[in-house]
Amino acid sequence: MGLRDRFSNFVYRQLEKRGVMEDIYSNSIRYGGRYANDDSILESSDVYELLQDISNQLMLADIVVEDEEGNEIMHHPVLKILKDPNNYLSGSEFIKLMVNTYLIQGEVFPVLDGDRMHLASTVYTELDDRLIEHFKIGGETIPPFMIRHIKNIGTNHLKGIGLLELGRNTLEGVMNAEKVLTDKYKKGGLLAFLLKLDAHFNPQNGAQSKLIKAILDQLEAIDDSRSVKLIPMGKGYSIDSLKSPIEDEKILAFLNVYKKDLGKFLNINVETYQALIKSDLEKAMMYLHNKAAKPIMKNFEDHLSLLFFGRDSGKRIKFKVNILDFVTYSTKTNIGYNIVRTGITSPDNVADMLGFPKQNTPETQAIYISNDLTKIGEKKATDDSLKGGDESDKEEGNADR
């Protein structure tokens, strides 16, 4: 990895001298493509909630580095990069953004720039005759070892597929329906009035124009549903309320059907998930984890491992989720109780007294009760007891025996 880092830094310095890298990253990050559509997707509350639930699981996971035997490597420099990837995103924000981009756009491009990481957009990719993938941002080539193309794979080997493409028609319908209802109630239910004139309207008639303007001013001044306006009107004028053409029941029925389809594009059955949330939150989180989060974690692990360590290294990035985070407090209490109960029944004489089967091992047959018990709570008390304690403790222990 040392040689790889030196080569990476050399390439970066050469590009930096030409002023290329600064332009590439600033344009790619600040002026990313399709940002308007992506933001619009998040305006749908149901989609936003599902994306949050999935990305939060990865954000809350512990990221570790493992060697070939699966042993965790503590304080590896890569962990520092993942914890503080750049000057504008924290490690948690970086992971959430990576997941959301991956799910919405179907692909995401993490870039390793020395000791900094970025998520590039508007990346152009192509395969050459030797089936090697090449990357360009703003017409400039990015070395393959500095970037990874993480794809939400469908049937295309070069391009991932996300919610933006999979559910485009459904999504647009849902978003339009939600916007219609939101706008309607924002504007007081679209309550409108129709001013009817029996007489011929004459723009040159000053008195008539003043009267109409006064009526309209009165109607427009109604900004509260509890307001009451008394408008005296002359002969030939009448006001009728105009019913809103937007029918809530039909729109809600449409949303009830098609909103659930959006979850399927995120690999979630919304009905199942919502039912589990109401009945058993632990099962709901495990359902979400196994159906959506776990496959993403595996894909991210593969690509980030290659990005940081290359193909020839046995080191690996791992996302580790604490399953107990999904367990209720009462369940954790039961787990703790069971551990304590197991400890109580470990000595054979106690197990026999309480009606549990003896284990019949040298450890469980020995009796370790001594004055060491009075040291519980003192610093290193358990360490001392494991080492046999000091000489006085040994003598006291022998005396007890």
Side-chain angles (χ1 to χ4, degrees):
M1 187 173 173
L3 179 62
R4 194 166 176 269
D5 278 345
R6 287 196 293 273
F7 182 57
S8 173
N9 291 335
F10 170 76
V11 173
Y12 174 75
R13 284 194 298 272
Q14 298 306 310
L15 292 171
E16 194 178 38
K17 286 178 183 177
R18 294 161 50 196
V20 171
M21 294 306 290
E22 185 177 351
D23 290 340
I24 290 175
Y25 290 141
S26 63
N27 290 335
S28 174
I29 293 160
R30 283 193 292 167
Y31 309 112
R34 300 195 299 185
Y35 61 90
N37 288 341
D38 294 349
D39 288 345
S40 298
I41 288 175
L42 297 180
E43 291 176 6
S44 175
S45 57
D46 291 64
V47 178
Y48 180 78
E49 182 182 16
L50 283 176
L51 286 171
Q52 286 289 93
D53 287 349
I54 295 170
S55 59
N56 280 344
Q57 283 210 12
L58 274 86
M59 184 192 76
L60 294 173
D62 293 322
I63 304 178
V64 300
V65 176
E66 292 184 351
D67 61 19
E68 294 180 7
E69 286 75 35
N71 300 313
E72 189 173 328
I73 303 174
M74 305 297 293
H75 311 299
H76 195 284
V78 163
L79 297 175
K80 185 178 179 182
I81 298 175
L82 290 169
K83 185 178 180 181
D84 182 21
N86 51 55
N87 294 326
Y88 53 90
L89 288 173
S90 69
S92 300
E93 291 169 339
F94 186 88
I95 294 299
K96 277 183 70 72
L97 179 60
M98 190 157 68
V99 177
N100 289 339
T101 305
Y102 174 85
L103 290 172
I104 293 175
Q105 297 189 4
E107 54 192 12
V108 64
F109 297 88
V111 178
L112 181 60
D113 173 17
D115 62 350
R116 292 296 182 196
M117 283 190 75
H118 306 281
L119 294 178
S121 56
T122 60
V123 181
Y124 174 74
T125 63
E126 63 179 0
L127 291 180
D128 63 16
D129 295 339
R130 299 179 58 197
L131 299 182
I132 296 174
E133 190 172 16
H134 296 269
F135 305 89
K136 288 186 178 181
I137 302 176
E140 297 293 339
T141 300
I142 304 298
F145 59 82
M146 294 178 66
I147 188 170
R148 291 301 302 180
H149 185 184
I150 307 180
K151 299 175 285 294
N152 185 13
I153 206 72
T155 57
N156 190 327
H157 61 281
L158 191 59
K159 189 176 184 300
I161 186 165
L163 181 62
L164 197 64
E165 188 172 348
L166 281 171
R168 183 179 297 279
N169 294 334
T170 304
L171 190 63
E172 287 179 357
V174 167
M175 288 169 56
N176 287 335
E178 284 185 332
K179 190 172 188 305
V180 166
L181 281 182
T182 303
D183 287 348
K184 172 180 176 179
Y185 289 102
K186 248 195 230 177
K187 297 171 182 175
L190 287 180
L191 183 61
F193 297 96
L194 186 65
L195 179 63
K196 294 196 299 184
L197 300 176
D198 287 340
H200 174 67
F201 177 69
N202 183 1
Q204 302 300 322
N205 188 328
Q208 190 183 57
S209 296
K210 286 181 181 179
L211 179 58
I212 292 173
K213 186 178 183 305
I215 294 171
L216 292 177
D217 288 344
Q218 288 271 22
L219 292 174
E220 289 173 1
I222 302 176
D223 56 0
D224 190 334
S225 59
R226 293 169 298 178
S227 297
V228 176
K229 293 284 184 181
L230 183 62
I231 304 176
M233 305 186 70
K235 184 179 179 182
Y237 298 89
S238 65
I239 297 176
D240 291 337
S241 61
L242 182 66
K243 184 182 176 183
S244 169
I246 299 172
E247 299 182 27
D248 296 358
E249 291 184 3
K250 289 184 179 179
I251 292 180
L252 290 173
F254 171 86
L255 290 174
N256 287 335
V257 172
Y258 288 101
K259 267 194 176 185
K260 295 167 186 174
D261 281 347
L262 295 176
K264 295 175 184 176
F265 299 123
L266 299 173
N267 205 29
I268 294 293
N269 185 303
V270 176
E271 288 182 324
T272 302
Y273 182 53
Q274 290 177 341
L276 285 173
I277 285 180
K278 292 176 183 177
S279 61
D280 192 324
L281 186 60
E282 177 189 350
K283 287 182 179 178
M285 291 299 101
M286 287 305 301
Y287 172 80
L288 186 75
H289 179 73
N290 290 321
K291 286 282 288 178
K294 198 171 181 180
I296 299 173
M297 287 167 54
K298 178 68 167 62
N299 202 9
F300 282 13
E301 289 170 358
D302 292 345
H303 280 278
L304 291 177
S305 299
L306 289 168
L307 181 64
F308 283 110
F309 308 122
R311 297 179 62 184
D312 300 326
S313 174
K315 296 186 183 71
R316 184 168 175 81
I317 300 292
K318 294 286 288 185
F319 286 79
K320 291 195 172 182
V321 173
N322 184 4
I323 300 300
L324 288 179
D325 288 340
F326 307 144
V327 174
T328 59
Y329 187 79
S330 60
T331 303
K332 291 179 182 178
T333 304
N334 288 334
I335 292 172
Y337 166 75
N338 290 333
I339 292 172
V340 172
R341 187 183 70 175
T342 303
I344 291 173
T345 59
S346 291
D348 280 346
N349 62 332
V350 178
D352 184 55
M353 177 179 67
L354 296 177
F356 290 91
K358 296 180 181 180
Q359 299 181 54
N360 294 319
T361 64
E363 290 79 14
T364 60
Q365 289 172 355
I367 301 175
Y368 293 105
I369 305 299
S370 72
N371 286 339
D372 279 347
L373 289 175
T374 62
K375 291 187 176 182
I376 291 176
E378 294 180 12
K379 191 175 183 182
K380 298 183 180 177
T382 52
D383 293 341
D384 292 340
S385 63
L386 288 172
K387 295 174 184 174
D390 56 21
E391 294 301 321
S392 62
D393 289 337
K394 289 180 181 177
E395 291 174 3
E396 290 175 356
N398 291 332
D400 289 338
R401 288 187 177 86

